[in-house]
Amino acid sequence: MQFEELEIPDVKLIFPKKFGDERGFFSETYNLEAFAKAGIDQQFVQDNHSLSSNVGVLRGLHFQCPPFAQDKLVRVIRGRILDVAVDIRAKSKTFGKWVSTEISAEDWNQIFIPAGFAHGFVTLEPDTEVNYKVSAPYAPESERAIMWNDPDLGIDWPFGKSQVTLSAKDEKAISFASYRENPVF
Ligand SMILES: Cc1cn([C@H]2C[C@H](O)[C@@H](COP(=O)(O)OP(=O)(O)O[C@H]3O[C@@H](C)C(=O)[C@@H](O)[C@H]3O)O2)c(=O)[nH]c1=O
């Protein structure tokens, strides 16, 4: 298992080993000790799985407020996504900055996003299935969303407004300016 830092070093890319043979392959997709050695010692309490049927399904930018803030370990078991993490920790040097990376079943990579980041992704292939571990339980009353195409964030999405599919909830996401007035991290 290999770990790399992204431009915001708290966000990590992980490459689990894949052992192929005539039957198919075997891979450890999470290993407590290997992750702890790489500085990721969070305890995950829930596994999530989502299917997005079409290209351009955009989920985000989501986070839960403390005490239900979540670290997330995200992988793709079918298809491909562009995954985005935005630093929303008011005291951070990289507050308001974002990183993005492609995660796919083909590349068999994962991204670790700590609490204090807003998270989102857009699907780049149809029938994309995303599987992720989170370190705190779902707490709907603590859920928040920042607008995916907020001009202050300037995220370089591969699709424009007319090409993405959002949930009704994400259509009503708040601006980064309004988050900044009352940050929770
Ligand atoms: C997130 C979540 C949703 N649900 C339910 C609520 C709702 O009826 C249905 C769909 O929920 P959502 O529309 O919030 O799903 P979705 O838009 O896929 O939300 C997810 O987006 C990505 C980007 C993340 O980072 C996740 O943490 C999560 O926020 O599933 C749970 O039961 N448990 C959960 O942990």
Side-chain angles (χ1 to χ4, degrees):
M1 211 171 271
Q2 219 183 299
F3 295 80
E4 286 175 16
E5 288 175 355
L6 285 174
E7 302 93 277
I8 301 177
D10 298 325
V11 183
K12 314 243 195 271
L13 254 189
I14 297 128
F15 298 89
K17 267 194 193 142
K18 215 172 185 184
F19 301 90
D21 62 27
E22 61 289 350
R23 299 167 300 174
F25 73 82
F26 183 92
S27 181
E28 288 184 10
T29 56
Y30 174 72
N31 176 311
L32 187 137
E33 200 180 320
F35 273 68
K37 268 192 195 149
I40 305 175
D41 53 6
Q42 281 73 8
Q43 246 205 323
F44 296 109
V45 299
Q46 188 180 312
D47 279 8
N48 298 332
H49 186 137
S50 69
L51 162 71
S52 301
S53 307
N54 299 316
V55 172
V57 170
L58 195 149
R59 300 172 189 253
L61 303 158
H62 300 164
F63 61 97
Q64 290 192 167
C65 301
F68 296 104
Q70 293 174 319
D71 308 284
K72 296 174 184 173
L73 178 64
V74 180
R75 66 196 185 100
V76 170
I77 59 167
R78 183 155 63 131
R80 179 177 296 270
I81 59 173
L82 182 76
D83 199 89
V84 175
V86 183
D87 189 347
I88 57 168
R89 301 167 301 181
K91 290 186 182 130
S92 165
K93 278 195 296 203
T94 50
F95 182 48
K97 301 264 180 280
W98 52 271
V99 288
S100 72
T101 189
E102 278 190 27
I103 303 289
S104 68
E106 191 184 349
D107 294 342
W108 207 239
N109 52 354
Q110 304 186 0
I111 183 168
F112 172 76
I113 299 153
F117 283 73
H119 172 240
F121 63 82
V122 68
T123 53
L124 304 175
E125 289 178 17
D127 298 321
T128 288
E129 294 189 59
V130 178
N131 203 286
Y132 51 103
K133 298 179 142 343
V134 291
S135 65
Y138 178 49
E141 68 288 353
S142 305
E143 265 190 319
R144 300 287 183 276
I146 295 173
M147 194 53 84
W148 66 284
N149 59 352
D150 187 293
D152 289 338
L153 296 176
I155 296 169
D156 189 14
W157 295 103
F159 302 112
K161 204 174 159 78
S162 62
Q163 297 163 302
V164 300
T165 306
L166 300 177
S167 69
K169 210 163 51 174
D170 288 349
E171 294 274 10
K172 292 189 248 145
I174 61 166
S175 65
F176 184 63
S178 104
Y179 173 80
R180 202 204 298 255
E181 277 167 26
N182 199 6
V184 298
F185 293 101

